[in-house]
Amino acid sequence: MNDTSSEITPEVVAEHGLTKDEYALIEQHMGRTPNMTELGVFSVMWSEHCSYKSSRKFLAKLPTSGPQVIQGPGENAGVIHIGDGMAAIFKMESHNHPSFIEPYQGAATGVGGIMRDVFTMGARPVANMNALRFGSPDHPKTKHLVSGVVSGIGGYGNCIGVPTVGGEVNFDPSYNGNILVNAMCVGLAQTDKIFYATASGIGAPVVYVGSKTGRDGIHGATMASAEFDDASDEKRPTVQVGDPFTEKLLLEACLELMASDAIIAIQDMGAAGLTSSSVEMASKGEIGIELDLDKVPCRETFMTAYEMLLSESQERMLMVLKPGREGEAEEIFHRWGLDFSVIGVLTDTKRMVIKHEGSVVADMPLAPLADGAPAYNRPHVSTPKRDVIDSENVTPPCDDATALMRLMGTPDLASRRWIWEQYDHMVMGDTIARPGGDAAMVRVHGTKKALAISTDVTPRYCYADPVEGGKQAVVETWRNISATGALPLAITNCLNFGNPERPEIMGQFVDCLDGMGQACIALDYPVVSGNVSLYNETNGTGILPTPAIGGVGLIEDYETSIGLAMDQKELTILVLGETKGHLGCSLYLRDLVGASELGAPPPVDLQLERKTGDFLRAHIQAGLIHCAHDVADGGLLVALAEMAMAGKTGCDIHYQPETASHGFWFGEDQGRYVIGATKEKSNKIIELAKEANIECLSLGVSAGQDLTFANGVSISITDLRKTNENWLPNYMSSELA
């Protein structure tokens, strides 16, 4: 074996993101000093990004099972039943650090990577979503980052021909030095054609397919597991470079081979590349693996074993095939213009043996690489509780009509049309609900079924009260899906936090997961996949805790679904759920009042959420409700305005709050939906709600082209739409000029 252990110094160990104690543990597992190649392998496999060493203990507490679940966390993506022998396969993942350094390629390869996670399991991707967080609009980097990330998402997704059907975008100063780019993909597969990453069969060939290996992305997983500093731009070489046209070829070639029975196991070469894919497949099968790097297709000359093993070059897969099927597979991949090479074999050693240039350059036990990474129970402290703000004690800065107009032109509430119009959201021809609504909706091709998909989280709630914020993040996607008439089935997540070595940050993580778990149990809405992204901070300043949730639901007949558009006259406008006027942590308080202390976030009553959401869906399916929209950021009046703008119809508001109207209209009380129904049907809904002990209040009727208040003040829907839609293109115009 080539011995380069003399090169390993404490400084080298630290550069690999390992502590002194972790290095000592590696020596213990090895029974000797590792060489540089082996150190590199341990470094990426024990990185936070790959090992979840700070989070594993707490992730295990999340509910992950249910009658709808085929495969929960632990595979490339989660899998759920959707009936008739079909499954939805989905996952969300982060590409935060690369996107900050190189926004176009970082975002593009994030999209490519999450799609590979899905089609690796045998699914054809049918929809992409994203959850994006940028810094303050007035930060000098923000416009550049928005432009690059949006272009990267659109460039990759549009080229590969998978629709980007929705997502969310927020701005906050906490993301100035560390943006978040979370990508989600949903695919469809037959339940009897799902592929896993568990290798089996001693002597079975290990096959490399896809693009050639280069030096891009080396130490990408390690970089994603460290906080930024002022020299972060120097990490540009660790950002991968993607090619969506090659990914399209890889997708089709993989699905063609999957139609046969030649594949034993398959794994995307994502973070940590060839290392993680080979380790994960072999360790899951509790066998060994031997690789000959001389057979790895390379696009650069004189690559070392270290570089080949740690490269994160894109559009690559590792497979284990049934012996004798190599020729069949090779013909398929060559026909699609892709590399194909048998680079190894499965063994009975439970070790990873790497050969290069005729020598063994690494020989390591697999168990410590996979499940033997240290699992930390880091110290954590809970966030102190804040006082509840009484809306009566908040002096409104202006009248309610003016407040609404101002809020609709703020960065967090402004229309995202400028963004989603850059995405092809109609390709494949199955997109039913375009971006801009509560949940995207994509038809299950050739059927009446449709998937409803939503991403959401409210970081300011999570910062103020992580438990309530964690609940709300889950519930918000559940409400978004319910508002279409679809049944929410399961979630994926992308848990973005700062440095877990700081007890207050670890406390945010632990408590957010507590809230998420409570919500998932109460709603029968399990976690089937996900990702953890820690160390999202720069020079010691962390992001707001951002546990992004991606929810997937199902509707049996998409023709029974509804949207938020209030698009006909003389609809009675009702609000389901109780309004107390909770202004704590509201956009009204932050953006209009300018309060430095935002108070406690609105509490989430999980039992009431379940009852109200079930009530809403039942009566959508019964045909009683014409349109619906959940009440979220900005409160009741913002929700009503969004429905009016979507339907290009005004509303005569008859209801007049007795006191603190700003609290009533702009408070962000949870568990509420604004619905529209004909007069006859609305009377029935009011009656049924009373029987179910669900608050139901009549606000007014759809009419005209203005939003008219009970006091006679009115706002033109046209003016409201202009304010709402102009902010983002006006903001970006200087960047694009």
Side-chain angles (χ1 to χ4, degrees), residues 159 287 397:
C159 289
I287 54 177

Side-chain angles (χ1 to χ4, degrees), residues 499-529:
N499 186 343
E501 297 167 46
R502 293 163 56 193
E504 68 275 16
I505 300 298
M506 195 65 206
Q508 292 173 349
F509 182 87
V510 172
D511 288 347
C512 275
L513 260 66
D514 179 17
M516 288 167 53
Q518 290 182 47
C520 289
I521 291 169
L523 302 174
D524 290 330
Y525 197 36
V527 181
V528 297
S529 60

Side-chain angles (χ1 to χ4, degrees), residues 676-731:
T678 62
K679 184 176 181 180
E680 181 182 349
K681 290 177 178 179
S682 69
N683 290 334
K684 181 67 173 176
I685 293 168
I686 293 170
E687 180 186 326
L688 291 167
K690 186 177 181 179
E691 292 174 3
N693 200 27
I694 293 172
E695 182 110 359
C696 183
L697 182 67
S698 178
L699 297 178
V701 293
S702 59
Q705 293 299 311
D706 297 333
L707 203 63
T708 304
F709 292 81
N711 62 5
V713 175
S714 65
I715 303 174
S716 162
I717 296 299
T718 300
D719 291 346
L720 202 59
R721 186 183 299 107
K722 285 180 182 177
T723 298
N724 185 240
E725 294 198 347
N726 285 350
W727 182 84
L728 189 53
N730 287 347
Y731 171 71

